[in-house]
């Protein structure tokens, strides 16, 4: 393999060329992983190679040890530990460190990324002891290029979310801090070095807690950062304010002295900086202050011992008089050419004003309203826009009575601005109306104001595509707060027909852009979902329109000649099918008369949409909803539909579609019950293959396990065919536990969801074994069936109780997991009515787990009722004397 030409090909604009090159690299890694790494490391360190080739080799090396899936990450890290000879490791690491000296910054940066990925493996194992001292020495004595590359590398290492590495870095805090502070000082003449040092300092702040506890060291760090905010270099100033944000979030309790001496003034100056990047980060500093104070307030609410209260300095209240006027001023800095998703200083100021309103509990309301009153009639549209935006921003602050009065007085003014001559002002007015409908709908009189509100929002949609997002969001908030599907009638009822017609009119306009059309269909979906009983007669007419539109898109597939055509058709089909889905869900069983036509159209869609289209996912969702409505009548569609389902289950190149397909198997088997048995061999093969697949994320596994339970419930005792294989899979999955060093939000939550899937699987299996669903059995046959079921479950009772014990002992458990555990306990007790395992149910921990669940007031009634039922089943077991099994410890 000519590594240079292959690396060159990975950067080709041609997709097939890139794919072939990536395949070559993957094959080389599989054949000789050690040689593959050494080859790339040599190319990375090759000063004669082109800069983009060196950068590419470093990136590929980094990716060899990277994965968003924590389980997969641990597996590939283990390859470095076990498969690479120590001498080879030493050579590769030496080449990477050597590359930091390169005069080309791209090579140094990509090498830094690779070094960070290896550091994540070795530092927690107390290996590569020379790494951090080498980087520190480079910063202290190296040339500018080496200094910068080493600081960037320190930043890459410190920005990790990997828990073992984070713990290991705390032992290097002194050396890390020495290097980055030295590079960040105002005495550093090279601005590139200083900028990299400030960035690295921000990344390492979490690991220098010990240093921050020392007043002298803390003072010096704060001095360096504060001086950097006045450096005159935009990048350094922005980075310094970013540092201050991190410091405030991590060390709020220690900030009182610095706020009084410097930070109030520096941040106000920073917010007024002409450079937007600097101003945004100075605004975000106050966002961080407010967020931290809101967190402290929440934390202190549940504290009963005064010594455990977190320190609250009320910085936001102290500074409101200076900060809020500055934020209002920044609201007038709108960029009329900004896109909806562009984050600029005006939007940062809006977010900050929202947080100030929450933090000060309405104390700034009158101050803001004075600004609103002053700016609203101004000739400058920027000021009118700022006034309307500020009014919407403070909705979360005042108490309900103050807010209701404020909205009642302000609503007519906001509605008036929906007719402003400037589209930006109208857009902000629409968003403010959305905020009112979201936060204080009670201030709107549905009899006198709702019609005016709807008319204003539809007029806004029709006046400019720019307003689509804000107007449609406001309309969805109206649906959510004035609708209600359980009611015979609701405030939307008399507006429902007109709203449906207005939305359909918007979606069929020839000049509608994709964003407007998508948003309009989302509005329609919301109104359909929230329509009262008296609105249901309108839905069949709407469905007719929707089905006609969907049918009309099928032949359009043959007319696609460009990427733009493909994207537009996909957007239309997705939106219209989503609307059909909403109608199916709302009509429920009443949809049966149209089921044949619906399935015919959905099958035509599936047969025409190209590979990789997102349309298939929403079609599958509609099929799932339809199956739930028509139940076992859905079996007549299985023969034409199931090939599409099998293809999706086996399509690992489109994980999103595969995931939807797994859920659809659950929907269909629940719907048609025992009639799904002819398809279950294929379902089970696909699902088991997906469990073994290295290309699918571990996040698929809980849903697959839950699907086993749904299949079991559907086919009853016939699931015994698959029981031994599935039980082995469930036992292996139950043995997965989060390590002490694994990241909380990755592994722990995954393990909880995995256990929930295991519990759901066992619940379905137990139900299947003890219930002959749909079978007409004589009394004698019924007794034999029950005995067979008990016999089928007996080999697995121990592993089920072991899992229940793990759940009890592990404090990390969700309500869903506990509810599933209660179901399994009750079902298992019911499956052995003769008390064969009554001793298991007498275990103290079983009683404790049930009691904890029943007494947890944070759990829903459903969960507590399930625990009550489990208690009754356990009580019956405890009253039985016949048992042969030995209880678990």
């Amino acid at each position: 393999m000519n590594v240079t030409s292959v690396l060159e090909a990975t950067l080709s604009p041609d997709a097939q060329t890139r794919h072939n090159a990536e395949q070559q690299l993957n094959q080389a890694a599989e054949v000789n992983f050690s040689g593959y790494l050494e080859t790339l490391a040599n190319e990375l360190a090759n000063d004669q190679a082109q800069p983009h080739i060196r950068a590419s080799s470093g990136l590929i090396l980094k990716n060899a040890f990277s994965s968003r899936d924590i389980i997969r990450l641990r597996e590939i890290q283990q390859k470095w530990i076990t498969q690479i000879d120590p001498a080879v490791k030493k050579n590769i690491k030496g080449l990477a460190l050597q590359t930091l000296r390169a005069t080309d910054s791209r090579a140094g940066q990509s090498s830094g990324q690779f070094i960070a990925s290896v550091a994540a493996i070795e530092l927690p194992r107390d290996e590569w002891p020379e790494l951090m001292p080498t980087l520190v020495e480079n910063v202290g004595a190296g040339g500018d290029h080496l200094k910068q590359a080493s600081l960037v590398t320190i930043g890459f290492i410190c920005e990790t979310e990997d828990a073992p590495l984070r713990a290991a870095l705390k032992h290097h805090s002194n050396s890390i801090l020495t290097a980055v502070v030295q590079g960040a000082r105002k005495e550093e003449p090279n601005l590139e070095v200083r900028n990299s040092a400030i960035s690295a300092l921000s990344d390492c702040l979490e690991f220098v807690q010990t240093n921050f506890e020392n007043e002298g060291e803390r003072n010096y760090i704060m001095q360096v950062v504060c001086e950097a905010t006045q450096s005159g270099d935009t990048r350094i100033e922005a980075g310094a304010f970013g540092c201050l944000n991190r410091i405030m979030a991590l060390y709020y309790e220690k900030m009182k002295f610095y706020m009084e001496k410097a930070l109030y003034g520096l941040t106000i100056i920073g917010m007024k900086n002409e450079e937007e990047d600097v101003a945004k980060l100075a605004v975000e500093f106050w966002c961080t202050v407010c967020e931290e104070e809101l967190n402290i307030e929440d934390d202190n609410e549940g504290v009963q011992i005064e010594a455990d209260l977190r320190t609250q300095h009320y910085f936001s209240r102290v500074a409101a008089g200076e900060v809020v006027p500055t934020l209002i001023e920044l609201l007038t800095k709108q960029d009329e050419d900004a896109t909806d998703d562009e984050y600029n200083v005006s939007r940062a100021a809006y977010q900050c004003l929202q947080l100030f309103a929450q933090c000060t509990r309405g104390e700034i309301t009158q101050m803001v309203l004075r600004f609103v009153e002053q700016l609203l009639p101004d000739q400058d549209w920027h000021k009118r826009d700022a006034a309307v935006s500020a009014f919407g921003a403070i909705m979360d602050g005042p108490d309900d009575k103050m807010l209701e009065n404020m909205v009642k007085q302000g609503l007519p003014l906001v509605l008036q601005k929906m007719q402003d001559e400037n589209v930006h002002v109208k857009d902000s007015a629409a968003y403010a109306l959305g905020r009112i409908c979201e936060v204080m709908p009670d201030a709107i009189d549905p009899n006198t104001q709702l019609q005016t509100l709807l008319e204003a929002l539809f007029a806004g949609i029709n006046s400019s595509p720019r307003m689509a997002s804000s107007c449609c969001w406001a309309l969805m908030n109206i649906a959510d707060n004035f609708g209600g599907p359980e009611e015979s009638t609701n405030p939307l009822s008399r507006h429902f027909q007109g709203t449906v017609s207005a939305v359909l009119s918007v979606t069929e306009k020839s000049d509608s852009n994709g964003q407007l059309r998508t948003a309009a269909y989302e509005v329609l979906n919301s109104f359909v979902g929230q329509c009262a009983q008296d609105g249901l007669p309108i839905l069949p007419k709407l469905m007719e329109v929707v089905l006609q539109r969907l049918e009309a898109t099928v032949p359009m597939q043959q007319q696609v000649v460009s990427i733009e055509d493909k994207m537009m058709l996909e957007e239309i089909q997705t939106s219209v099918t989503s609307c059909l889905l909403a109608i199916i869900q709302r009509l429920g069983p009443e949809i049966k008369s149209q089921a044949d036509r619906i399935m015919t159209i959905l099958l035509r869609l599936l047969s025409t949409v190209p590979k990789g289209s997102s349309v298939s996912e929403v079609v599958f969702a509609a099929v799932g909803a339809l199956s739930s409505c028509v139940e076992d009548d859905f079996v007549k569609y299985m023969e034409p539909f199931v090939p599409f389902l099998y293809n999706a289950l086996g399509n690992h190149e489109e994980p999103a579609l595969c995931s939807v397909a797994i859920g659809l198997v659950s929907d269909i088997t629940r719907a048609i019950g025992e009639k799904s048995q002819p398809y279950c061999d294929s379902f089970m093969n696909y699902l088991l293959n997906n469990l073994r697949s290295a290309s699918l994320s571990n996040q698929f596994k809980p849903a697959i396990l839950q699907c086993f339970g749904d299949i079991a419930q559907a086919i009853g005792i016939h699931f015994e065919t698959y029981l031994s294989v599935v039980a082995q899979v469930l036992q292996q999955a139950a043995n997965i536990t989060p390590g002490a060093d694994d990241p909380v939000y990755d592994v722990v939550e995954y393990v909880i969801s995995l256990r929930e899937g295991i519990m759901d699987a066992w619940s379905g299996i137990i139900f299947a074994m003890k219930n002959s669903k749909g079978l007409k059995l004589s009394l004698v046959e019924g007794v034999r069936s029950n005995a067979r079921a008990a016999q089928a479950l007996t080999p697995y009772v121990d592993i089920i109780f072991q899992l229940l014990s793990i759940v009890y002992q592990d404090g990390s458990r969700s309500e869903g997991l506990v509810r599933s555990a209660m179901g399994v306990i009750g079902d298992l007790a019911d499956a052995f009515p003769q008390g064969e395992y009554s001793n298991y149910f007498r275990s103290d921990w079983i009683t404790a787990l049930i009691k904890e669940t029943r007494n947890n007031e944070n759990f829903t009634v459903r969960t507590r009722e399930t625990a009550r039922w489990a208690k009754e089943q356990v009580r019956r077991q405890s009253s039985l004397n016949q048992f042969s099994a030995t209880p678990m410890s």
Side-chain angles (χ1 to χ4, degrees), residues 720-736:
E720 190 175 2
T721 304
Y722 315 112
L723 183 54
S724 61
V725 174
V726 171
Q728 184 179 3
V729 168
L730 296 177
Q731 186 172 13
Q732 290 171 349
N735 290 331
I736 296 175

Side-chain angles (χ1 to χ4, degrees), residues 764-839:
I765 291 168
I766 295 166
F767 180 89
M769 295 300 106
K770 71 185 181 72
N771 291 280
S772 299
K773 183 178 180 181
L775 298 180
K776 296 180 180 179
L777 302 176
S778 67
L779 178 62
V780 172
E781 289 171 330
V783 171
R784 288 174 179 170
S785 177
N786 290 338
R788 177 185 172 191
Q791 184 178 9
L793 287 171
T794 295
Y796 312 111
V797 172
D798 275 348
I799 63 174
I800 295 172
F801 272 94
Q802 285 169 8
L803 175 61
L804 289 166
S805 177
I806 290 171
V807 171
Y808 170 69
Q809 293 171 32
D810 192 340
S812 300
R813 49 182 187 248
S814 66
E815 180 180 355
L817 173 57
V818 173
R819 182 171 58 246
S820 297
M822 294 298 104
V824 167
I825 291 171
D827 285 337
L828 201 57
D830 190 43
F832 293 95
Q834 304 304 313
E836 296 92 331
Y837 293 94
S838 59
N839 238 21

Side-chain angles (χ1 to χ4, degrees), residues 11 24 31 41 79 107 133 199 205 325 358 364 385 416 478-479 510 519 547 595 693 705 736 746 762 806 814 852 873:
L11 304 172
Q24 279 187 272
V31 172
K79 289 175 68 176
S199 178
L205 283 168
Q358 294 174 40
I364 67 168
D385 185 69
Q416 187 181 36
I478 289 174
S510 59
L547 289 175
S693 172
L705 301 183
I736 296 175
D746 289 329
W762 278 122
I806 290 171
S814 66
E852 283 180 23
Q873 299 302 317

Side-chain angles (χ1 to χ4, degrees), residues 313-329:
H313 294 304
Y314 300 106
F315 295 138
S316 58
R317 292 183 178 179
V318 172
E322 289 187 74
V323 175
V324 169
T326 307
L327 294 174
I328 299 289
E329 182 183 343

Side-chain angles (χ1 to χ4, degrees), residues 592-610:
K592 285 186 178 181
S593 63
Q594 292 291 323
D596 288 356
R597 184 181 176 193
I598 291 171
M599 275 304 296
T600 299
I601 295 172
L602 295 179
L603 287 168
R604 288 183 66 195
L605 274 177
L606 288 174
S607 65
T608 58
V609 295

